[in-house]
Amino acid sequence: MARKFEIITELYHRTQQSVTAPQTWQSFLSSACHNYKLSFDEQLLVYAQRPDATAVLEIERWNKQFGRWVNKGATGIAVFDGEHTGRSRLKYYFDVSDTHESGFSRPVPLWQVRPEQEDEIAEALENSFGELADKTDLAVTLLSAAKNAVEDNMPDYLSELRYCKENSFLEELEDFNIEVIYKAALQNSVEYMLLSRCGIDTEEYFSDDDFPEVLNFNTPETLNALGTATGDISQMCLSEISRTVVSLQRQEQIQNRTIANPVQNEYPILENNNSERSFDNDRTHIHDTGRLSPAEP
């Protein structure tokens, strides 16, 4: 267990050192936007191990909350377990693609934005973050909402950055220049996460030239100041979008049930006799042992 913790710690430090390259930072944001409720250090480790993960949870929560079992042979995503005091330890996430349904599974609330939902999303974002400068289409709506959210919340994070700039490229800069650099990096990062999560091609709006400021966050402390603020503010916006989309989907399901005639289930439930990992089945073979709320997919 101690050796595994050392390996993951080394992986974490290597990822910190490499992620500030503009192209790598965009790749990280494309990964982090799908698990926007994780803390920044968890997002970094998920990116380092499974950049394509779209919804991660611990094995117990897959079992109990969604009635899904982890596939035999699936490899967990190791992250630092910050919920336990004392000795350092790891916990393991599994992506939804590592799981399969059981006889009493419940739907996983994975959402995608559809064109007919865009007006309601714009209204929800405007109610939460103030009047939007442009609502011509979904992309500019998201950019406007991100701008408002960053302007409203950045001061809370900027004060922390000024206290941890030692030994970084920001150290010799005046406070005004630090604010300009921080705002540019933060706003572009939040905008990128919103566009990517909502299925919009980010290459039409961003390139490597839009992220040169990220290179200035070259110490663990300054990088954490940027990553934490990006994650927190993105979560504010994406949680609002998620609530709106899920609510609209539920309304649509209710309407469909009221007008549809009852039909029999076309898909019979088959018994699954395969050996599977669950909370009550081989649990001990899975585990070697912020700011944000517990992770939800």
Side-chain angles (χ1 to χ4, degrees), residues 37-184:
K37 292 187 178 182
L38 299 183
S39 62
F40 178 55
D41 64 325
E42 291 179 329
Q43 290 174 338
L44 280 177
L45 284 172
V46 170
Y47 168 69
Q49 297 169 77
R50 287 285 300 277
D52 60 340
T54 57
V56 300
L57 281 177
E58 294 174 272
I59 189 171
E60 295 91 341
R61 298 191 66 188
W62 280 127
N63 296 165
K64 294 183 177 180
Q65 190 168 341
F66 295 103
R68 299 182 69 91
W69 306 142
V70 172
N71 300 333
K72 184 177 181 179
T75 301
I77 305 168
V79 299
F80 302 127
D81 189 350
E83 297 179 359
H84 293 270
T85 58
R87 67 186 182 90
S88 301
R89 57 183 293 179
L90 301 172
K91 63 181 180 181
Y92 294 86
Y93 288 133
F94 291 87
D95 186 47
V96 63
S97 62
D98 296 324
T99 70
H100 60 273
E101 294 182 352
S102 67
F104 52 91
S105 296
R106 291 168 292 283
V108 180
L110 299 175
W111 53 269
Q112 293 181 331
V113 175
R114 300 202 304 263
E116 63 270 20
Q117 300 167 336
E118 293 180 8
D119 290 342
E120 287 81 0
I121 291 173
E123 182 179 355
L125 291 174
E126 199 161 44
N127 290 338
S128 296
F129 304 106
E131 184 178 357
L132 304 181
D134 194 345
K135 297 183 289 184
T136 306
D137 57 35
L138 179 60
V140 296
T141 296
L142 297 175
L143 297 177
S144 298
K147 182 175 183 295
N148 289 359
V150 169
E151 289 179 349
D152 290 344
N153 294 278
M154 188 185 72
D156 299 333
Y157 300 94
L158 181 60
S159 59
E160 296 182 12
L161 175 63
R162 287 171 174 155
Y163 284 111
C164 68
K165 63 181 181 179
E166 186 178 0
N167 298 324
S168 74
F169 293 154
L170 302 171
E171 183 174 15
E172 302 300 327
L173 300 179
E174 299 291 334
D175 284 351
F176 174 77
N177 292 329
I178 292 177
E179 180 176 351
V180 171
I181 291 173
Y182 191 45
K183 182 177 181 180

Side-chain angles (χ1 to χ4, degrees), residues 172-292:
E172 302 300 327
L173 300 179
E174 299 291 334
D175 284 351
F176 174 77
N177 292 329
I178 292 177
E179 180 176 351
V180 171
I181 291 173
Y182 191 45
K183 182 177 181 180
L186 181 57
Q187 182 170 320
N188 284 342
S189 298
V190 173
E191 290 174 349
Y192 194 101
M193 282 188 68
L194 266 58
L195 293 181
S196 183
R197 180 61 185 86
C198 291
I200 297 171
D201 185 2
T202 54
E203 292 185 0
E204 296 184 10
Y205 299 89
F206 294 100
S207 67
D208 294 352
D209 295 335
D210 293 304
F211 294 93
E213 295 85 1
V214 179
L215 291 168
N216 292 284
F217 299 84
N218 63 315
T219 63
E221 294 79 14
T222 55
L223 177 61
N224 188 69
L226 175 61
T228 298
T230 297
D232 287 358
I233 297 174
S234 296
Q235 180 180 337
M236 296 176 194
C237 300
L238 290 172
S239 293
E240 195 64 46
I241 296 171
S242 174
R243 283 191 292 268
T244 302
V245 172
V246 171
S247 176
L248 292 172
Q249 290 175 344
R250 288 173 179 168
Q251 293 176 19
E252 182 179 340
Q253 291 170 356
I254 292 173
Q255 291 174 352
N256 290 339
R257 283 199 297 266
T258 59
I259 62 177
N261 293 325
V263 296
Q264 293 183 345
N265 189 350
E266 297 179 359
Y267 303 97
I269 299 176
L270 303 178
E271 292 186 2
N272 186 350
N273 295 321
N274 294 332
S275 176
E276 56 194 13
R277 290 174 170 176
S278 72
F279 184 65
D280 298 316
N281 184 14
D282 290 341
R283 178 180 184 274
T284 56
H285 295 290
I286 296 295
H287 294 278
D288 292 333
T289 42
R291 290 178 184 268
L292 302 182

